[in-house]
Amino acid sequence: METRELTCIRCPIGCHITVELKNGEVKNITGNSCPRGADYAASEVTHPERTVTSLVRIKGGERPVVSVKTEGGVPKEKMMDVVKALKSVELKAPVHIGDIAAADIAGTGVNVVVTSEMAAAKKL
Amino acid sequence: MKRDLVIIGGGPAGLAAAVSARKEGLEDILIIERDIRLGGILNQCIHNGFGLHTFKEELTGPEYADRFIRQVEEAKIPYLLDTMAVDVSYDEKNGEKIITAMNSEDGLFTINARAVILAMGCRERPRGALNIPGYRPAGIYSAGTAQYYVNMEGRMPGKRVVILGSGDIGLIMARRMTCEGAKVLCVAELQPYSGGLKRNIVQCLDDFGIPLLLSHTVVDIKGKRRVEGVTIAEVDENRKPIPGSEVFYECDTLLLSCGLIPENELSKGLGVNINPVTGGALVNESLETSIPGVYACGNVLHVHDLVDYVSGEASDAGRNAARYIAGNASDAEGYVIRIKTENGVRYSVPSVVRTGLMPDTLTVRFRVGNEYRDKNLVVYLDGKQLMKLPKRIMAPGEMEQIILVKSKALEIISASDMADHELVIRVEDK
């Protein structure tokens, strides 16, 4: 039996939850004070996901970088792979919120989309 | 220039106030923004978690701002960018507020307004206010400044980072800097609890194995031209460093995330009464300050944890300012209730309620001064218990609120024989 300790983030109480796992399957959850905590703990120990927010370079824009996010959660252990893959992405201004900056980032099957409006730089 | 309503600040508070004032039917509105774009600090908050209450979805800062910017554009509400309001004064004879502003195209100019909404936001507590000994080398930034460099300019302030203070921006920057290739050694927090949201501690520190040192502070900064390292010591219950607990961390950057202070220079110049606890204006139920027709909302009023609450509060301010201009804000009828906070409750917004102008339900927001577990939050009106709310946990980092029901309040007051009406909010044992 494997046990995992985690802090619930569903509300400010921050319960210390203990999850008992057997062969990767949740057997018992203790320490939570509501069902939301059990849900959080179960998904967090079996398939933790995170939305990754970062920057990509942009050419001809008002600024040298533009903000992006993964359109959904990616597996937690892939977070740094996503960030690294974004280093080689370069967009061209203008871009708009929701534009796809990179499809299927780092083999996660998740798209990365632009989260800021970025006009082309004014020519002097 | 003459305007009905001038809103100072085009961040989340100013934008929501403008949209709401227009919805209330007010035509003549002007937003003054010192940055070259609307949206305020949200533009550099590229992480997600905004808008769960307002839009029922999780947005990044720039996306959240864009939702409101679009509403301002669609409503064709005029705004001035790259324009700094430098003074606001009050003409008691005609009730006009005179805003002095400047920009590079128009130079210095004044606007006479019937109402003003203060929405200037807040600033980070700087190193000078923290009394950290040591030299003043390069490499010490407030967390928000570092956030601007990284997220807006694409530049990294350093490679090995120590963060002092566990405010949310500091936690967010621990993750950002790590993702951009820096090594974040630790986050030191003077208090025995974190000032940031639990979610940020888990997702910004725990996810990346960054230690959070509670009851620790920076006692020395080494380096003359550039930061070479900092010494961190544990503190006792009186927040005094414990001799012998010092540990030296070699680093080139120190980020400070030690609290936010409402930016009220304009308000003070105008003569608005300030609450020494929040650093923001004292306001009534309409979010009106001590000067008639001057309203305040968002982080300039009191620092919020969630932008959603800023938008909600600012909408109220916008609507109330529009009603004031329309002449629907006279308070001839009704009682005045003063709100007193004690026994663990630090302040409340508003601090005065005129029942004549009170909506059917009024949200009163406040913070506690300590971490409290399994306590009751008790509210008394004229000595009578109005509510008793059992609380599993209350913490300084999480804003609390109660909803006052007007009919209930009036019922108690009309039966009371007190001349001055007082609402008391306090923490009590179970």
Side-chain angles (χ1 to χ4, degrees):
Chain A
M1 192 83 77
E2 182 201 348
T3 61
R4 294 268 300 277
E5 307 273 335
L6 43 104
T7 309
C8 183
I9 62 166
R10 286 287 149 89
C11 87
I13 296 174
C15 293
H16 294 283
I17 304 181
T18 306
V19 184
E20 289 174 36
L21 291 154
K22 200 171 181 182
N23 303 325
E25 239 179 86
V26 177
K27 287 288 165 202
N28 196 24
I29 297 176
T30 50
N32 59 304
S33 44
C34 76
R36 294 198 305 160
D39 284 351
Y40 169 75
S43 69
E44 187 65 15
V45 295
T46 51
H47 51 89
E49 288 194 337
R50 298 285 186 269
T51 297
V52 176
T53 57
S54 193
L55 300 165
V56 297
R57 274 192 284 270
I58 184 160
K59 258 194 170 147
E62 296 170 303
R63 285 174 275 145
V65 288
V66 66
S67 61
V68 295
K69 68 173 180 186
T70 54
E71 222 169 356
V74 299
K76 187 180 147 187
E77 70 275 8
K78 290 260 186 182
M79 268 193 299
M80 288 315 274
D81 296 345
V82 170
V83 169
K84 280 188 189 117
L86 287 173
K87 297 266 175 258
S88 57
V89 174
E90 189 175 66
L91 302 177
K92 201 168 169 289
V95 293
H96 301 286
I97 289 174
D99 286 358
I100 292 180
D104 183 16
I105 191 76
T108 55
V110 178
N111 292 339
V112 171
V113 294
V114 171
T115 58
S116 298
E117 293 289 313
M118 176 86 65
K122 287 184 194 111
K123 296 234 161 59
L124 290 174
Chain B
M1 198 190 325
K2 271 189 188 291
R3 292 281 177 178
D4 278 347
L5 175 61
V6 170
I7 298 170
I8 304 175
L15 293 171
V19 169
S20 162
R22 175 58 59 81
K23 276 187 186 149
E24 194 63 28
L26 184 66
E27 274 303 313
D28 190 16
I29 306 171
L30 176 69
I31 304 171
I32 297 177
E33 167 57 45
R34 69 178 163 201
D35 202 351
I36 55 169
R37 60 182 73 83
L38 293 173
I41 294 303
L42 281 173
N43 286 318
Q44 69 184 62
C45 299
I46 66 163
H47 54 281
N48 67 329
F50 301 92
L52 278 168
H53 298 263
T54 310
F55 298 112
K56 309 289 172 229
E57 58 181 308
E58 227 179 316
L59 302 171
T60 64
E63 290 172 306
Y64 186 96
D66 187 66
R67 298 276 173 108
F68 278 95
I69 293 169
R70 275 169 201 274
Q71 290 181 53
V72 165
E73 302 277 9
E74 273 160 27
K76 297 197 168 57
I77 298 169
Y79 53 84
L80 290 171
L81 297 178
D82 212 0
T83 301
M84 184 84 184
V86 291
D87 184 64
V88 186
S89 61
Y90 177 51
D91 186 341
E92 273 178 57
K93 284 195 286 292
N94 57 16
E96 275 185 357
K97 290 81 187 168
I98 302 112
I99 299 109
T100 307
M102 60 196 288
N103 64 34
S104 59
E105 274 178 32
D106 305 310
L108 197 70
F109 57 97
T110 59
I111 308 165
N112 291 46
R114 294 173 65 192
V116 168
I117 296 180
L118 305 169
M120 294 89 76
C122 60
R123 295 231 141 192
E124 297 175 283
R125 184 166 284 130
R127 179 188 173 183
L130 297 171
N131 294 324
I132 308 169
Y135 283 105
R136 303 194 162 261
I140 305 170
Y141 303 89
S142 67
T145 304
Q147 189 179 44
Y148 184 86
Y149 284 146
V150 176
N151 292 348
M152 303 297 278
E153 298 194 339
R155 293 193 284 184
M156 278 292 277
K159 290 181 180 136
R160 280 176 70 85
V161 185
V162 167
I163 299 176
L164 175 62
S166 62
D168 286 309
I169 314 168
L171 301 176
I172 293 285
M173 282 314 290
R175 175 172 64 185
R176 274 305 294 143
M177 300 281 287
T178 305
C179 284
E180 293 298 336
K183 172 77 185 160
V184 178
L185 303 172
C186 67
V187 174
E189 168 61 56
L190 181 67
Q191 305 288 349
Y193 48 82
S194 163
L197 299 171
K198 204 118 254 172
R199 169 200 168 94
N200 285 335
I201 292 172
V202 171
Q203 297 198 347
C204 299
L205 300 187
D206 297 356
D207 273 7
F208 299 92
I210 301 166
L212 171 62
L213 310 175
L214 297 174
S215 300
H216 279 73
T217 193
V218 171
V219 292
D220 192 29
I221 298 170
K222 192 186 163 199
K224 231 170 178 178
R225 294 178 66 86
R226 175 82 199 188
V227 174
E228 290 166 19
V230 299
T231 305
I232 292 179
E234 197 177 344
V235 298
D236 62 19
E237 59 272 20
N238 300 316
R239 299 190 212 159
K240 292 266 176 282
I242 300 169
S245 69
E246 299 90 352
V247 175
F248 181 74
Y249 288 81
E250 199 185 298
C251 62
D252 56 26
T253 304
L254 174 66
L255 298 190
L256 306 172
S257 181
C258 302
L260 300 166
I261 304 156
E263 191 176 16
N264 271 302
E265 277 64 29
L266 288 176
S267 327
K268 285 175 190 162
L270 173 59
V272 160
N273 289 344
I274 299 287
N275 182 341
V277 178
T278 56
L282 284 162
V283 293
N284 60 27
E285 77 300 319
S286 304
L287 302 172
E288 187 186 29
T289 66
S290 55
I291 295 183
V294 176
Y295 297 78
C297 56
N299 283 352
V300 80
L301 178 56
H302 58 143
V303 176
H304 296 62
D305 325 316
L306 296 180
V307 72
D308 299 78
Y309 296 157
V310 169
S311 300
E313 186 177 270
S315 295
D316 291 344
R319 191 173 52 246
N320 294 335
R323 286 182 185 165
Y324 169 86
I325 289 164
N328 299 333
S330 63
D331 57 333
E333 297 291 313
Y335 308 95
V336 174
I337 307 170
R338 304 211 164 267
I339 303 183
K340 190 176 163 191
T341 55
E342 57 180 36
N343 214 38
V345 181
R346 291 181 61 226
Y347 73 88
S348 72
V349 168
S351 55
V352 175
V353 178
R354 299 168 297 174
T355 60
L357 286 173
M358 179 186 179
D360 291 340
T361 58
L362 178 73
T363 305
V364 177
R365 299 189 167 93
F366 57 91
R367 277 183 200 277
V368 295
N370 231 317
E371 200 171 89
Y372 294 105
R373 281 172 192 270
D374 292 314
K375 300 274 183 186
N376 285 326
L377 186 73
V378 192
V379 182
Y380 299 91
L381 178 55
D382 285 356
K384 253 188 112 165
Q385 188 177 302
L386 189 63
M387 39 182 118
K388 179 162 144 185
L389 308 164
K391 291 278 179 184
R392 295 271 327 263
I393 188 160
M394 289 185 285
E398 312 261 353
M399 191 183 283
E400 297 284 336
Q401 63 178 51
I402 53 168
I403 312 278
L404 287 185
V405 179
K406 184 178 178 175
S407 57
K408 232 174 146 182
L410 286 176
E411 202 178 296
I412 292 178
I413 288 178
S414 53
S416 152
D417 48 11
M418 293 192 186
D420 298 315
H421 303 290
E422 188 176 68
L423 184 98
V424 180
I425 310 174
R426 46 186 282 136
V427 179
E428 291 183 0
D429 284 333
K430 276 201 165 158

